[in-house]
Amino acid sequence: MDGSNTLFEVAASATGVGVSGGAGFFALKWLVEYFGGRMDKRAAALDAGTQRLMERLEARVDELTKRVTTVEKELAECQSKHAESEAKAARLEALIGLTTTTMRAAFPVDATMPNDLAVLAARLEGVGQ
């Protein structure tokens, strides 16, 4: 009986070691998979957030590009109108030059005279250069 008790005890001990070792292995495996899976979920959430941010930034860049294009077009129009205004100012300066005494004597002021003729007359005298 002593031999069977010893064999039974050895078998029970071996079974206990095997079961506890297997349970410990599966518990360790579960912990590793759990925390590993959580890291994967966190990485996926970060990737999704980064993707949304990049999409928003691309939309903002497109919007700003359109805005810059519009502003450049308006600036070109303003520069064109400014050039026209400067040309009108030069014509007015030439007309004012016609009111000097020498110009009045050479070219009597006529209100019906077109601006281009007035500028030409002023340039002939040397006033509007």
Side-chain angles (χ1 to χ4, degrees):
M1 279 218 81
D2 286 334
S4 66
N5 280 342
T6 308
L7 184 60
F8 180 72
E9 288 175 1
V10 169
S13 295
T15 304
V17 169
V19 169
S20 64
F25 172 76
F26 284 113
L28 183 62
K29 180 183 172 205
W30 180 83
L31 281 173
V32 169
E33 288 177 353
Y34 177 76
F35 287 115
R38 290 187 57 90
M39 287 183 195
D40 288 344
K41 288 178 185 177
R42 177 182 247 176
L46 286 173
D47 289 344
T50 303
Q51 184 65 30
R52 283 193 307 269
L53 177 65
M54 290 186 65
E55 288 171 359
R56 278 195 238 145
L57 287 175
E58 287 173 357
R60 183 72 174 148
V61 166
D62 290 341
E63 177 185 326
L64 290 174
T65 301
K66 289 176 186 175
R67 187 173 175 189
V68 165
T69 303
T70 303
V71 168
E72 287 175 346
K73 183 179 178 182
E74 290 174 356
L75 177 63
E77 290 174 7
C78 286
Q79 288 173 338
S80 174
K81 288 181 181 181
H82 181 71
E84 290 176 14
S85 296
E86 285 186 346
K88 286 180 183 179
R91 275 189 248 135
L92 290 173
E93 287 176 0
L95 284 173
I96 291 170
L98 287 176
T99 60
T100 61
T101 54
T102 55
M103 289 299 290
R104 245 187 268 144
F107 300 99
V109 176
D110 183 8
T112 62
M113 183 185 287
N115 286 344
D116 294 337
L117 292 177
V119 171
L120 181 61
R123 286 189 180 157
L124 288 174
E125 184 63 29
V127 175
Q129 291 180 351

